[in-house]
C-alpha cells in the first residue's frame, strides 16, 4: 500500500490555485468527520458547562459559515434577512444555539455538511484562479481567496474544540469515556 501523500497540488477539475484550496477544504472536512465519528445524539448535545457549545452546534456552525460564504462569493450577495434569521443560532452559537441546536443525530449534521460542501465544490470548479483575487462586491474588505481560507480555518478551529469536548465526555457523566483516538498521520514539526 502506498504511503499517503501530504502535498498541496492542483486537483483535476479545478484551476491550479483553486485546486490547492479545495485540497485544504477536503482535508479539513475529512478530519472533522473523523473527530465526530460514532457520537450519539446525547454526546452531540452534551454541554460541557453553562457557556459552552455542543459538538452538534459546532457542526451546524461549520455548515452555516460555509453557506454564508457561498452567498458572498458565488452569489455575490449578502445573505437575505430570511437566510440570516434561519442561520443565526448556528452562526453566533451562544444561548440560542444551546437552546435550538440539539436533538439531531450525527447523520443529520453529516448530511448538512455534505450538501453544503457539494455546492462549494461545484462553485469552485466553475471558477478560475483570477476569481480568487477579485474583491467581493458584497464584502469589499475581502477577496474570494481570503473568504475560502477563512471557511477552512474556522472549521479547523472548531474541529479542535470538538476534539477537546469529545475527550471530556466520559468525565462529564455520560457513562463512558470517549475519544476519537486521534493521532494525525501527518508528520508534525518535532517529527520532521
Amino acid at each position: 500500500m502506498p504511503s499517503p501523500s501530504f502535498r498541496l497540488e492542483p486537483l483535476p477539475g479545478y484551476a491550479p490555485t483553486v485546486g490547492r484550496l479545495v485540497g485544504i477544504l477536503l482535508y479539513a472536512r475529512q478530519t472533522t468527520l473523523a473527530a465526530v465519528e460514532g457520537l450519539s445524539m446525547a454526546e452531540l448535545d452534551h454541554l460541557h458547562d453553562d457557556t459552552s457549545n455542543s459538538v452538534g452546534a459546532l457542526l451546524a456552525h461549520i455548515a452555516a459559515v460555509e453557506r454564508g460564504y457561498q452567498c458572498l462569493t458565488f452569489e455575490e450577495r449578502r445573505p437575505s434577512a430570511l437566510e440570516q434569521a434561519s442561520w443565526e443560532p448556528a452562526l453566533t452559537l451562544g444561548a440560542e444555539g444551546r437552546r435550538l441546536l440539539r436533538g439531531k443525530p450525527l447523520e443529520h449534521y453529516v448530511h448538512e455538511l455534505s450538501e453544503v460542501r457539494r455546492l462549494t465544490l461545484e462553485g469552485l470548479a466553475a471558477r478560475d484562479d483570477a476569481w480568487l483575487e477579485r474583491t467581493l462586491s458584497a464584502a469589499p474588505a475581502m477577496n474570494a481567496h481570503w473568504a475560502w481560507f477563512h471557511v477552512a480555518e474556522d472549521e479547523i478551529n472548531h474541529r479542535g474544540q470538538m476534539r477537546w469536548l469529545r475527550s471530556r465526555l466520559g468525565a462529564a457523566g455520560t457513562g463512558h469515556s470517549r475519544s476519537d483516538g486521534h493521532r494525525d498521520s501527518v508528520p508534525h514539526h518535532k517529527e520532521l
Side-chain angles (χ1 to χ4, degrees):
M1 180 168 139
S3 56
S5 172
F6 299 108
R7 302 172 58 89
L8 290 176
E9 299 178 318
L11 293 176
Y14 300 94
T17 303
V18 172
R20 288 179 176 93
L21 186 59
V22 167
I24 293 167
L25 292 166
L26 292 174
Y27 180 76
R29 183 57 48 82
Q30 173 190 350
T31 56
T32 295
L33 294 176
V36 300
E37 185 176 4
L39 289 180
S40 69
M41 191 182 315
E43 291 166 327
L44 290 165
D45 288 348
H46 176 74
L47 294 170
H48 183 70
D49 58 41
D50 291 343
T51 61
S52 67
N53 295 300
S54 68
V55 171
L58 294 170
L59 291 170
H61 173 80
I62 290 168
V65 165
E66 188 163 342
R67 183 61 187 111
Y69 278 93
Q70 288 171 352
C71 288
L72 288 174
T73 61
F74 302 152
E75 300 170 30
E76 298 187 38
R77 65 176 180 86
R78 292 206 167 269
S80 70
L82 184 61
E83 288 168 328
Q84 189 68 32
S86 70
W87 301 337
E88 194 66 26
L91 288 174
T92 58
L93 297 167
E96 278 298 283
R98 283 187 289 281
R99 187 173 71 77
L100 297 173
L101 302 173
R102 47 192 316 97
K104 305 271 195 269
L106 181 59
E107 296 77 23
H108 166 81
Y109 298 108
V110 171
H111 175 75
E112 293 295 314
L113 290 165
S114 296
E115 282 302 302
V116 76
R117 182 51 53 88
R118 179 184 61 77
L119 295 173
T120 295
L121 296 178
E122 287 174 5
L124 290 172
R127 271 108 183 140
D128 61 18
D129 287 343
W131 172 83
L132 283 175
E133 307 315 319
R134 276 191 22 227
T135 298
L136 299 177
S137 59
M142 72 178 84
N143 64 10
H145 205 158
W146 188 91
W148 288 102
F149 153 78
H150 178 64
V151 169
E153 66 96 13
D154 187 70
E155 179 167 345
I156 292 165
N157 174 59
H158 293 303
R159 182 199 61 218
Q161 290 177 303
M162 287 183 269
R163 285 178 175 163
W164 187 91
L165 289 166
R166 183 176 188 152
S167 73
R168 282 147 183 83
L169 284 172
T174 58
H176 56 287
S177 178
R178 295 293 303 248
S179 170
D180 67 352
H182 175 74
R183 172 70 176 117
D184 270 337
S185 58
V186 179
H188 294 276
H189 61 89
K190 66 183 178 186
E191 299 168 346
L192 295 176

